Amino acid sequence: MRFELCGEGIHSIKEQYDNFHLSWLMLPDYLKTHTTFIGNLATLEPLDHVLYDRFRKNGIEYLACILLKDDIETPTGILGFT
């Protein structure tokens, strides 16, 4: 959660993720099996309540993300859009 690009009129939330432990999140485990997630917050809630709660507080409605892998299929990160 280090890179953020906001559209015009969108306020940055990157400071909210300082000292935010990624081990609190369940979505990365989901992506190891399913590779992608595309859905609204109601779809996200049963998969990852911590991320759901954070996004809900920020007025996020939809999330799309994909697991990134290197050339030997080792997971290297997650690219997400809200």
Side-chain angles (χ1 to χ4, degrees):
M1 303 232 185
R2 290 288 149 211
F3 303 100
E4 177 185 56
L5 178 62
C6 298
E8 188 174 328
I10 304 296
H11 295 88
S12 173
I13 62 168
K14 64 184 173 233
E15 292 84 15
Q16 295 176 18
Y17 290 94
D18 285 344
N19 299 316
F20 188 90
H21 297 277
L22 296 179
S23 63
W24 296 341
L25 303 179
M26 299 306 298
L27 187 60
D29 290 330
Y30 174 87
L31 292 173
K32 283 183 183 179
T33 303
H34 298 92
T35 310
T36 61
F37 173 86
I38 301 172
N40 60 23
L41 283 193
T43 309
L44 178 63
E45 184 177 16
L47 301 176
D48 192 324
H49 189 74
V50 172
L51 196 56
Y52 160 83
D53 192 51
R54 171 58 58 194
F55 284 169
R56 182 185 55 77
K57 289 176 182 175
N58 286 312
I60 302 297
E61 296 180 27
Y62 300 97
L63 170 67
C65 47
I66 186 169
L67 182 66
L68 303 175
K69 297 180 181 182
D70 65 14
D71 58 348
I72 58 169
E73 297 297 308
T74 303
T76 58
I78 298 169
L79 177 62
F81 294 90
T82 59

